[in-house]
Amino acid sequence: MGQKVNPFGFRLGILYKASSIWFAPKRDYQKFVLQDIKLKKFIFHRLALAGIVSVGVERSINTIHVIIEAARPGVVIGRGGANLEMLKKEVEAFLKNIGVSNTVKLALDVKEVKNPDLSAKLVGERISEQLIKRYPHRRAISQAHERVMAAGAKGIKIQISGRIGGAEIGRQEKYAIGSIPTQTLRSDIDYAEVKSLTRSGYVGIKVWIYKGEATL
């Protein structure tokens, strides 16, 4: 089972909590889910240069609390909080466009990712950028392995699939170092899927980073 499902979903409620935390009556549930998806896509697109790892949404009766985890929080906050104020206004306008009530207040919270080399999403995005620039894929993956293991990970697995290196026939390649116990529920595994739009077409990148055992 651990080999076939998203490691985050497999451990949801055991090791990890959901990225959206709220309660809604049955008639509002679908609306709130769609609003959360649109809001997260908007923030990821708007703050593409800030190295966003995750966006959490917590709702109460009159407040939407958005928690942004970024590798470069300075880009989000700006000098004297100027960028954060601008972002807040843009998000408030976006929320009105997607049907959120005017009475609901917005609270933004920015947190720094302490070790970007242990974030699967950031590792995948770095490899994606290198593939777009036609950097040799084996060298890019080897360098990612070295950085992640030096940062204190117990293991890393990277899988790329598609027209690797501009080949005419698509293929899949896996590279792993250390251990990745995907079946063990107490394993703290960070996972991400990233698309790389190369000149030959899309190359899919999957990254698993094993950080050690966590307390259940």
Side-chain angles (χ1 to χ4, degrees):
M1 186 68 180
Q3 304 290 339
K4 298 174 181 66
V5 297
N6 188 311
F8 180 82
F10 191 45
R11 291 162 180 79
L12 193 62
I14 298 167
L15 276 190
Y16 311 128
K17 62 178 185 179
S19 60
S20 292
I21 300 173
W22 41 262
F23 173 80
K26 193 174 180 180
R27 66 180 182 275
D28 293 332
Y29 186 85
Q30 182 184 8
K31 181 178 74 176
F32 284 1
V33 169
L34 286 171
Q35 285 175 357
D36 280 10
I37 291 168
K38 289 174 183 176
L39 175 60
K40 288 173 186 178
K41 280 184 179 176
F42 173 77
I43 291 173
F44 271 111
H45 180 71
R46 169 68 176 74
L47 300 173
L49 299 175
I52 302 295
V53 172
S54 69
V55 177
V57 179
E58 295 177 5
R59 291 174 186 254
S60 60
I61 298 168
N62 295 320
T63 313
I64 292 180
H65 184 203
V66 180
I67 302 148
I68 300 168
E69 289 191 14
R72 294 183 286 278
V75 176
V76 183
I77 297 165
R79 187 172 293 176
N83 289 0
L84 192 61
E85 282 301 313
M86 194 186 300
L87 176 67
K88 192 173 181 180
K89 287 175 185 174
E90 288 179 15
V91 173
E92 282 172 349
F94 181 76
L95 288 173
K96 285 175 188 174
N97 287 339
I98 60 174
V100 176
S101 169
N102 293 336
T103 57
V104 176
K105 294 179 182 176
L106 173 70
L108 275 180
D109 192 10
V110 182
K111 294 182 179 179
E112 183 181 4
V113 177
K114 291 179 182 176
N115 198 338
D117 284 329
L118 289 180
S119 167
K121 186 173 184 297
L122 297 179
V123 170
E125 283 176 355
R126 191 185 290 122
I127 294 170
S128 170
E129 287 167 10
Q130 288 175 318
L131 294 182
I132 289 167
K133 293 174 183 173
R134 307 185 81 175
Y135 196 76
H137 68 278
R138 285 192 182 90
R139 193 182 301 168
I141 289 168
S142 171
Q143 288 172 356
H145 279 174
E146 287 171 14
R147 275 194 303 268
V148 171
M149 295 304 282
K154 300 288 179 70
I156 175 173
K157 179 168 74 172
I158 298 171
Q159 175 183 303
I160 55 174
S161 55
R163 293 183 60 185
I164 303 164
E168 287 187 11
I169 298 171
R171 66 181 190 276
Q172 187 183 92
E173 292 184 8
K174 283 183 187 177
Y175 302 88
I177 186 169
S179 64
I180 307 286
T182 49
Q183 188 68 25
T184 312
L185 284 171
R186 62 181 178 272
S187 304
D188 185 7
I189 295 176
D190 194 16
Y191 171 76
E193 295 179 9
V194 181
K195 292 175 183 174
S196 178
L197 182 52
T198 65
R199 293 186 183 185
S200 310
Y202 270 118
V203 172
I205 303 162
K206 292 181 180 179
V207 182
W208 293 257
I209 296 177
Y210 174 46
K211 301 177 187 176
E213 288 195 357
T215 0
L216 294 175

